[in-house]
Amino acid sequence: MRRKVGLITGGNRGIGLAIARALAKEGCDLIITGRHRGSLQKASRELAHFGIRVVAEACDVRDRCSVEALVATVKKQFRRLDILINNAGVAHANLNVAELPVEDWKEVIDTNLTGTFLVTRAALPLMKRGGTIVNNLSIAAKRVFAGSSAYNASKHGALGLTDTLREELRPKGIRVIALLPGATDTDIWNTLWPDAARKEMMTPETIATAVVNALVLPENSTVEELTILPTAGTL
Ligand SMILES: NC(=O)c1ccc[n+]([C@@H]2O[C@H](COP(=O)([O-])OP(=O)(O)OC[C@H]3O[C@@H](n4cnc5c(N)ncnc54)[C@H](OP(=O)(O)O)[C@@H]3O)[C@@H](O)[C@H]2O)c1
């Protein structure tokens, strides 16, 4: 994958940063995004040690103008995009529907579902045959967890978007992968369930390894759905 160009939303920490490291090891040039400039700069300095080109740009995936500015930077710096990893995502506190504030509902849907749509729509003109889109969904795209209605709904919706996109892009030779990880030890659990048993969870590096293994397959084959769970189950 040497000199391929990859864009990773939420590439400043967690699973996104682990995927960025794994792609950097493969020799990909990268654009990483997130809202917080400090962690973006730190991640960017670390990734540069792999001898690749790294561009770090702050972007809020909920904001159409911010997303369009990001893709304009990709176009200016690299002229094309080979790999898009839609990874940015948020969870909400464990609250039943009756108690969930509408602001929390909107934040989660806007980030996880509309954000994936906005970034994909803006980036597609830069992608050609042989390109790959990976949408980091969750096992919550297929199974539901009580107290996580907005998260479950956003991921179920994003799976519908992903499956539609795959059919639309099939004739163009762009692969679309639905990534469905189970519990992975990242900061997202501080919101979702602070007391969850971290040691039974997967590491972000495990998810990154699976993603790279899917990306290196020959262009005439694809992993359409990539479900990875802790051996202990869904937790
Ligand atoms: N950890 C798990 O168990 C698990 C399992 C399945 C799927 N996932 C999915 O994996 C993805 C990454 O989550 P994670 O577990 O790595 O959690 P994390 O460590 O909290 O990372 C979330 C990432 O998303 C970015 N982000 C959040 N809102 C954003 C916005 N509006 N615009 C741009 N970037 C935004 C964050 O950066 P900033 O805060 O700087 O914006 C951060 O880089 C999410 O889509 C999550 O649903 C996680």
Side-chain angles (χ1 to χ4, degrees), residues 127-194:
M127 298 190 73
K128 293 206 177 70
R129 184 166 291 276
T132 308
I133 298 173
V134 179
N135 287 348
N136 191 1
L137 308 173
S138 161
I139 198 64
K142 293 221 166 157
R143 301 179 198 178
V144 296
F145 301 92
S148 282
S149 59
Y151 190 74
N152 296 334
S154 72
K155 297 296 187 177
H156 272 64
L159 178 60
L161 167 65
T162 306
D163 288 344
T164 308
L165 194 62
R166 184 181 305 112
E167 297 315 315
E168 290 178 2
L169 297 180
R170 203 182 286 286
K172 297 189 168 147
I174 297 175
R175 304 185 293 191
V176 178
I177 300 175
L179 173 64
L180 281 75
T184 309
D185 187 3
T186 69
D187 293 348
I188 208 166
W189 287 93
N190 298 338
T191 315
L192 199 59
W193 183 13

Side-chain angles (χ1 to χ4, degrees), residues 10 12-15 34-36 59-62 87-90 111 136-138 151 155 181-184 186-189:
N12 48 352
R13 57 195 170 90
I15 296 172
R35 291 163 300 175
H36 298 118
C59 170
D60 187 332
V61 297
R62 295 169 297 180
N87 166 79
V90 289
T111 308
N136 191 1
L137 308 173
S138 161
Y151 190 74
K155 297 296 187 177
T184 309
T186 69
D187 293 348
I188 208 166
W189 287 93

